[in-house]
Every structure is written in structure tokens, then in C-alpha cells.
Amino acid sequence: MFGYVRPSFDRLNEAERARFRAVYCGLCTTLGKRYGFAARFILNYDFTLLAMLLSTGEDDRCKECRCAVHPLKPCTVLCENDALVLAADESVILAWWQIQDAIADSTLLRAIPYRTAAFFLRRAYKKARVLRSAFDAHTKAQLAMLSALEREKCPSLDRAADTFATLLRGTAMHLADETQRRVMGELFYHLGRWVYIVDAADDLARDVKSGSYNPLIYRYNIQGNTLDSDSRTMLCATLDHSVHCMAAAYELCGRTHYHAILDSVFYEGLYAVGSAVLAGTFRKAPRSRREHHRKNGKEETR
Amino acid sequence: MNDPYKILNVSPDASDEEVKKAYRTLARKYHPDNYADNPLADLAQEKMKEVNEAYELIQKQRRSSASSSYTGGYGTAQASYTKRSSSPLLQQVRAALDRGDVAAAESLLSQPQEHTAEWHFLMGKVSQRRGWMDEALRYYAAACRMEPGDGEYRAALEYMQSGGAGGFRPQGYSVFTTGTDDCTRICMCLACTNLLGGGWCFCPIYY
């Protein structure tokens, strides 16, 4: 997806960070094993969290292994389990349809990077489509609906967000237990809604410049490329409601050993990311941030 | 009934004070206010009942020796929309919302009728139940504009404007929200955390 869903790492102790890292590396390994090296590049935090939420907490065996990114220092990696497999399969399907969507929306020249990505991902997608045919059809239908709304320049923020939210709710449709399906369905619905709106806020300035559709432009009648104070307050409130609904659903889930990580996501991380996106500080130039980070690191070691 | 100590997530050796604290935390978590107009309110109500029963049972077991006394559980009452209505049709909408039948409420509201303040208010309730929070806010605002003196509409609008603030947060988590400036600082701190294997090269934060 987009990498917006992340824990508040400052809240986690070393063991919890290692646990998160093991799931992240576990998802990467699972993607690589099932779909080849290219599929590893679609790895992100969002599906790592999804794997944690869907985990029963029973199958958490880990192993030590090296990979291309960490060739010298072996990493602790969560062994393949049902939650990781599901997260890997669904992330391939979602990435595929998002790439197709981007190709359809781009000019011939601008579509080249997306076509290249689609070329490398096509075999992975063909495999995932067979394994998760229901989720594939659901994703395709929801994204087609979203494209139609974008074409007609839908002014309703909720109607546009509902397509992506319903798409993500589909992640819970395979669950056998009805209560769990309801709880997870609600959680994923608001996760999808939140991700869609945060992404729209993140892309606002760029979309205004390029003239692309962005629901915030039509919802808040934006003049210029930023939100005015009242609109910003309303946007914050609607994002907060979704986080609150996610937290309310999460509270009804059973506790697993990931609870400290998930607590930090639903009670702090999402608010922090939303706030940074609205302040325009979420996507600072990577180079300057790395330099800042290195500088801080050096100061700490002195 | 399952082990009451397990439900409250405390050890059987826990002191009365610890049991009470655990009970209060869970009661805050599953309180009806935390699930206002939430489609999972019935599940929270069940949890609340379970927590109340577990606490009551522990209190009963300990009553002979302990000085603390059970003072009654937290309420599990759900929001009710059957208070009043200006038309029989809207009365039916309120009844459908009480049953949790959002589709029926929506269908009744889409029938030809005058779009009064109450109609807007109930459209807001339907939107809120579906998770369409922005639409809900707009409907409540319209209801308040039409009848500024109505307490029910005003409370609904204020709740939507608050972004659900006041919901449960575990101990140690402060009540900041997306609109709080401090969040930005925390986020940049977390974004810079060198978490993944000591290198930035494969960390999606940087891309």
C-alpha cells in the first residue's frame, strides 16, 4: 500500500522492536519465497501490521538468516505462517491492481516505470490470483469503482474513501469466525478509509499542480494548494474518528504478543503520521533526513 | 463462566486494589461511550457484561476477608433513538437504528419526504454507523443550522467535531490527536528511528 501505517517506535522496548523487525523480515522472506525476488520490493509497513493483526499468536517460530540486504549480519526472521502468507498474497494482488490503475491514468511516457514494475510482477500476480481469486475480484471491482468516481470528480470524501475502505475490509472476508470477521472487517474498513484520506492529503499539493483528481480539492473547495484552517480542523476530526473506530475494533480483538506494537500504532503512531502528513513533514527529502540522522548518530557516539 | 481473573487479565494473587484497577481499565475500554453509534457496540456490550460479571464474582469470593465492597458495575446501556419524533416515518427510522438495522433506516429516509432538521440528524446517524464520518458531520451541521436550539443535534455535531476524542487510551498514552502539533515531532522521531537492521538502505521510510 503506502507505508503510512507504522508503530510509534519510541514506545517499544528492544524486544518489541526485534519482534516487529522479525515480522517485517518474515513478510519479506515470504514474499521472496512465494513470488520471487522482484516481489520483495512491494514490501511495506502496512502489510506487516496486517500480518500482526491476523496472527493468532500461536505460530511464532523464528529463524536466523541472511539476505541480500543484510548479507553479513544474520537477521531473526519469523517463519512462514498463515498470516504472513495471507499478507504476502494480498499485497501482491493489491500492488498489481494499483500499478494497473497508475498505467491507465498515465500518459504513454509516464507509464513506463509502472509498465516495468508490472512486467516484473506479472508472474507473481498470476500465482496470487489463483490462490486468492475472491480477493482479486473484490480488489479489481473496488478499484474500478474508485476510478469511475475519480473520473466524475466525486466531491464526497466519504464516497471516494469508501471504495478503498471496502477493498481493505475484504482482507477479513476469509475469516471463519463471524465475530472476528465483523471486528476485523470494521478495523480494516477504517484503516482503508484513513489510508485513502491521508494519501489524498499527502498528494494534495502535487495534484493541485498537475490538475489530477483529489477528493480534498472538491470537498473543501481548495483555493491555492493548501487547506485553510477550518478545512484542516474538519479533516483532522474525520481522520481522528477513523483512528478511534480502528482502536475501538482493536480493543475487541484478543491480545496476542504483538499487543504492545499494535497499541503504539492505534494509540499514537497513526495520529503522529496523520499530523506529519498535514504539516507537510512526512516526506522530507530522504537525503537531508539521512544526513540529519547520520549527524545525530555521530553526536550520540561521541 | 471462564476464569474471572483471566477475563480481568490479573493474577489470582493480585491485591484488591490491582483487581479494581484492572476492572476500571477494562470498564473504560468497553464503556458504551467508546462505542457510540459504532456497529460493534453489541460486542462491546457483551464484553462489558463479561467484565462486570467477572469483577462481581471475584468480589463475592473475596468478600469475607476483604474490606472492599462491590459498588455495582458500569452501565451497559446503549444509545437510544426512540426519544421523540416529528413524523411516524422518522419514528420508524429511529426504531430501525435502535435495532442496528442501518439499511432499513437508510431506505426509510430515502422515501419522498420533507428534509427537516430531524431528517438531516438521522441521515447523520446512518452515515456515522456506516463509517462515513465526514458526511455525518455535514448532516449534523445542517440539522443544527435548521434548529440551533436542539440539544440532541448539537451534542451529535460536537461529538463529530471532537474527532471521537475522549475515547479509551491505555495508561501512558497521552490524549493527542492528528491536530496536535506535538504529534509531528513524535512522528519525525519515529521516522528517523534506525530500526531495520541498522541500515537505511531498505527501509521504506526513506522512499
Side-chain angles (χ1 to χ4, degrees), chain A residues 21 24 158 182 219 240 248 289, chain B residues 35 39 42 134-135 178 204:
Chain A
R21 198 157 50 223
Y24 186 78
D158 283 322
R182 271 183 69 198
R219 165 65 180 92
D240 285 347
R289 201 158 67 207
Chain B
Y35 290 86
D42 57 320
D134 189 49
E135 298 282 315
T178 309

Side-chain angles (χ1 to χ4, degrees), chain B residues 51-179:
Chain B
V51 168
N52 275 337
E53 283 172 1
Y55 185 61
E56 196 170 4
L57 190 64
I58 293 173
Q59 292 298 94
K60 257 184 203 165
Q61 286 168 355
R62 293 183 171 196
R63 195 160 286 165
S64 55
S65 57
S67 57
S68 60
S69 61
Y70 178 63
T71 53
Y74 282 78
T76 54
Q78 285 301 296
S80 172
Y81 302 112
T82 49
K83 289 169 197 163
R84 61 176 186 112
S85 209
S86 55
S87 81
L89 194 61
L90 294 182
Q91 192 64 49
Q92 284 178 45
V93 174
R94 284 176 182 266
L97 282 170
D98 267 348
R99 292 196 306 274
D101 192 348
V102 181
E106 196 173 14
S107 156
L108 289 164
L109 285 166
S110 64
Q111 288 181 19
Q113 61 194 296
E114 194 192 343
H115 290 181
T116 58
E118 190 183 5
W119 181 88
H120 279 95
F121 167 73
L122 292 172
M123 279 299 284
K125 285 286 169 197
V126 167
S127 303
Q128 195 178 340
R129 287 281 185 96
R130 291 173 64 188
W132 289 35
M133 303 305 187
D134 189 49
E135 298 282 315
L137 178 106
R138 297 170 84 176
Y139 280 119
Y140 292 149
C144 286
R145 270 197 307 276
M146 293 165 92
E147 276 184 36
D150 190 291
E152 190 183 24
Y153 307 160
R154 179 63 49 195
L157 178 63
E158 280 171 6
Y159 178 73
M160 285 321 290
Q161 285 168 334
S162 75
F168 173 78
R169 303 272 175 111
Q171 205 175 8
Y173 282 93
S174 58
V175 187
F176 64 71
T177 61
T178 309

Side-chain angles (χ1 to χ4, degrees), chain A residues 9-218:
Chain A
F9 292 122
D10 283 357
R11 289 270 174 193
L12 309 181
N13 61 30
E14 205 39 58
E16 286 152 1
R17 288 179 189 206
R19 195 168 284 154
F20 180 81
R21 198 157 50 223
V23 182
Y24 186 78
C25 292
L27 181 58
C28 183
T29 312
T30 307
L31 276 166
K33 232 183 203 174
R34 286 172 78 81
Y35 297 110
F37 185 74
R40 287 183 177 225
F41 287 90
I42 63 168
L43 174 70
N44 65 41
Y45 280 172
D46 303 354
F47 274 91
T48 308
L49 263 298
L50 192 130
M52 279 188 223
L53 281 166
L54 292 172
S55 169
T56 53
E58 285 160 11
D59 193 5
D60 61 344
R61 283 171 297 116
C62 289
K63 62 181 178 189
E64 297 278 315
C65 72
R66 289 186 173 88
C67 64
V69 181
H70 306 111
L72 299 175
K73 194 180 162 199
C75 299
T76 306
V77 175
L78 184 67
C79 296
E80 196 173 296
N81 62 27
D82 290 348
L84 284 179
V85 166
L86 182 85
D89 294 351
E90 293 188 344
S91 56
V92 167
I93 291 171
L94 186 55
W96 173 263
W97 284 114
Q98 285 185 316
I99 290 170
Q100 295 303 316
D101 203 31
I103 291 172
D105 289 347
S106 308
T107 57
L108 208 61
L109 205 63
R110 283 184 191 273
I112 291 172
Y114 299 118
R115 285 190 188 279
T116 312
F119 175 77
F120 284 110
L121 207 63
R122 74 194 190 290
R123 285 174 70 181
Y125 167 68
K126 278 180 187 165
K127 187 180 171 188
R129 183 180 62 184
V130 175
L131 295 170
R132 309 273 175 195
S133 55
F135 184 74
D136 179 53
H138 176 72
T139 305
K140 189 182 171 185
Q142 291 302 320
L143 287 180
M145 218 182 280
L146 180 57
S147 292
L149 290 173
E150 284 174 356
R151 273 195 301 277
E152 67 185 50
K153 305 209 183 302
C154 171
S156 166
L157 183 59
D158 283 322
R159 189 174 293 281
D162 181 67
T163 52
F164 196 74
T166 307
L167 187 164
L168 224 56
R169 178 183 269 162
T171 311
M173 66 185 162
H174 71 285
L175 295 168
D177 181 70
E178 205 219 322
T179 304
Q180 206 194 358
R181 199 165 56 236
R182 271 183 69 198
V183 171
M184 284 297 173
E186 177 72 3
L187 200 161
F188 290 137
Y189 181 88
H190 280 282
L191 187 64
R193 182 179 184 272
W194 182 87
V195 164
Y196 181 83
I197 299 174
V198 163
D199 188 49
D202 205 14
D203 291 344
L204 183 61
R206 206 180 58 194
D207 288 341
V208 169
K209 202 174 162 190
S210 68
S212 308
Y213 169 77
N214 187 312
L216 302 182
I217 299 173
Y218 299 95

